[in-house]
Amino acid sequence: MSKRAEKDLARLQGTAPVKAKNEETYKFVRAHCKVEQDPSQKLVWNVLMKAPDQSLYKGAVYRLSVKFEPSYPFKCPEIKFTDTVLHPNVEKSSGNICQDMIGGGVNWSPTQSVATLLEKLLQSFVQPSLDAPIERSLAELFKKDPKKYAQMIQAHIAKDLNNTF
């Protein structure tokens, strides 16, 4: 694992100092994410993410993987859900996340960190990006019938998720 990824992990786990300007980001992410290095793969992190209480996804705890290239931070890590997620910005079949929404892909800069990606992902549970959704039918339902969308999300959480935080 790159030295930068090791530092990011230590910051997310609360064992390394964080710059004052980033304290709120790390506080928010730590309250909602448990991050551990995969014991069998040095370039992979396993994440448990608890959706914010102010979102329609309240009570949901999802598993994600974060895969790094050896060139990190010059190449954005791949973050994807390993659990099924019903969300306009997440591809249901693969768990792939809209990179533009979280600041990854072509929007990635080496000055960013995994914490900033996770923060944006958490914020998307509160307010999904509906401009360029991956799952168009979910975006349409969210816009046209928010009550039905909320019921579908709560049914999904109750039926499909059994992770604990």
Side-chain angles (χ1 to χ4, degrees), residues 93-106:
S93 62
S94 69
N96 289 331
I97 301 163
C98 176
Q99 292 298 303
D100 290 343
M101 176 196 69
I102 62 170
V106 297

Side-chain angles (χ1 to χ4, degrees), residues 17-32:
V18 174
K19 292 179 183 177
K21 68 179 185 176
N22 299 325
E23 285 180 5
E24 287 302 313
T25 294
Y26 279 90
K27 182 179 177 183
F28 178 69
V29 172
R30 286 181 195 138
H32 295 89

